[in-house]
Amino acid sequence: MSALTTPGRAVRAIPRVVVMALLTLVVLGPIYWITVSSFKPRSELISTSPTLLPREWTLENFERLFATTKYPLFLSNSFVVAIGTTVVTLVVSIAAAYGLDRLRVPGAGKISGVVLLSYMIPGTLLIVPLYVTLAQLGLIDSHAGLVLVNVAFTAPFCTWLLRGFILAIPIEIDEAAALDGAGPLRTMFQIVLPLLLPGVATVAVYSFVFSWTEFVFASQFIMSDGLDTLPVGLKAIIGQYTVDWGLVTSATLFTLLPTVLLFLAVGRFFVGGLIAGATK
């Protein structure tokens, strides 16, 4: 019986396998093309007969990228903004999520809904009021201002996500800690936070990737070339009249690298965390 049903299952699985193969090709195809192109010499990059693998492997594009452009400066600027955004978002969202659930704030459920609703407002609608606010604070053309704006957009979703994790932690743990004399801060840092680490990893990955790839606010609120982040810097590398594809592909590959390494390190927490935080 099983011998008869096994071929039938294999046939029924063919459409699913084909769809998964096409999806994988669509997602990984551009990354593969950028990777192999970054190792091709210029003559091969502009050839009318593209090749799947370089005929001649070269590191010339990477050498020119770091020696003749401001890419290292853009890279360091992006690290400053991304790490700053991640740290501030973690502090704000952990405190907000813990306060909403554990400190018995009246209307905590409705406040949580409003917080999530604010995340859905398109950022482009807020460029003018944000610009005016940052100008009044003297934070235009500064990484601190850009970090503040990024946190304003990452913190609502992260707070909502972390609240789901905190709801899954039994309140009896807090009550037991209170009987032992622990206050709210000690309970949060020593009892709740260690149990919250998968959620913290999820929030950290989300905040880092958001700020690493953010372009709209970085292009509007940063005026000096020396303060540009990678998304804006890559636009400058492309050039106004000509495109140096060797520089573009090598810069894109190095820009992808930190996020890929981050996902390899904590990706399992991110996927599981998104599902868990959304369903609890």
Side-chain angles (χ1 to χ4, degrees):
M1 185 68 180
S2 61
L4 294 176
T5 56
T6 300
R9 291 178 181 173
V11 171
R12 286 196 298 273
I14 289 177
R16 186 170 66 251
V17 172
V18 171
V19 171
M20 293 300 294
L22 289 175
L23 184 61
T24 303
L25 183 64
V26 169
V27 173
L28 297 183
I31 298 176
Y32 169 79
W33 195 254
I34 288 171
T35 303
V36 297
S37 296
S38 63
F39 290 97
K40 292 180 178 178
R42 185 173 184 276
S43 59
E44 197 173 337
L45 279 171
I46 61 176
S47 173
T48 55
S49 301
T51 55
L52 287 177
L53 289 173
R55 298 191 190 95
E56 178 187 350
W57 293 82
T58 179
L59 295 176
E60 177 192 352
N61 297 322
F62 299 102
E63 294 171 356
R64 288 193 301 117
L65 177 67
F66 283 93
T68 65
T69 71
K70 293 182 179 179
Y71 185 83
L73 180 61
F74 301 147
L75 190 67
S76 63
N77 289 339
S78 277
F79 269 116
V80 169
V81 173
I83 293 174
T85 300
T86 303
V87 172
V88 178
T89 298
L90 282 175
V91 173
V92 171
S93 57
I94 290 173
Y98 184 80
L100 282 173
D101 185 59
R102 288 299 204 259
L103 300 185
R104 295 181 175 83
V105 176
K110 294 180 180 178
I111 294 175
S112 180
V114 172
V115 167
L116 183 61
L117 184 64
S118 66
Y119 169 74
M120 300 176 183
I121 299 175
T124 50
L125 296 178
L126 302 176
I127 287 179
V128 173
L130 284 174
Y131 189 95
V132 173
T133 303
L134 290 180
Q136 291 175 342
L137 295 174
L139 293 177
I140 288 292
D141 199 23
S142 70
H143 288 159
L146 191 56
V147 167
L148 195 62
V149 172
N150 286 340
V151 170
F153 281 86
T154 55
F157 178 70
C158 295
T159 300
W160 174 79
L161 198 64
L162 283 175
R163 186 169 179 264
F165 280 91
I166 293 177
L167 284 171
I169 300 175
I171 190 68
E172 289 78 10
I173 295 179
D174 293 41
E175 294 171 352
L179 289 176
D180 290 338
L185 286 178
R186 187 181 169 191
T187 303
M188 185 180 76
F189 283 109
Q190 295 188 356
I191 308 298
V192 176
L193 196 55
L195 300 173
L196 208 59
L197 286 182
V200 171
T202 305
V203 167
V205 171
Y206 172 79
S207 305
F208 185 90
V209 173
F210 176 91
S211 54
W212 187 261
T213 57
E214 200 286 319
F215 175 80
V216 175
F217 299 133
S219 62
Q220 297 299 319
F221 301 147
I222 298 295
M223 309 299 174
S224 305
D225 293 342
L227 295 177
D228 280 339
T229 54
L230 278 175
V232 181
L234 285 176
K235 182 173 177 291
I237 288 175
I238 289 175
Q240 186 175 2
Y241 300 107
T242 60
V243 179
D244 189 328
W245 289 111
L247 289 181
V248 171
T249 54
S250 57
T252 305
L253 182 62
F254 258 93
T255 304
L256 285 173
L257 202 56
T259 56
V260 172
L261 293 176
L262 188 61
F263 269 99
L264 288 176
V266 296
R268 64 185 187 280
F269 294 113
F270 182 74
V271 176
L274 281 180
I275 297 173
T279 55
K280 287 172 183 172

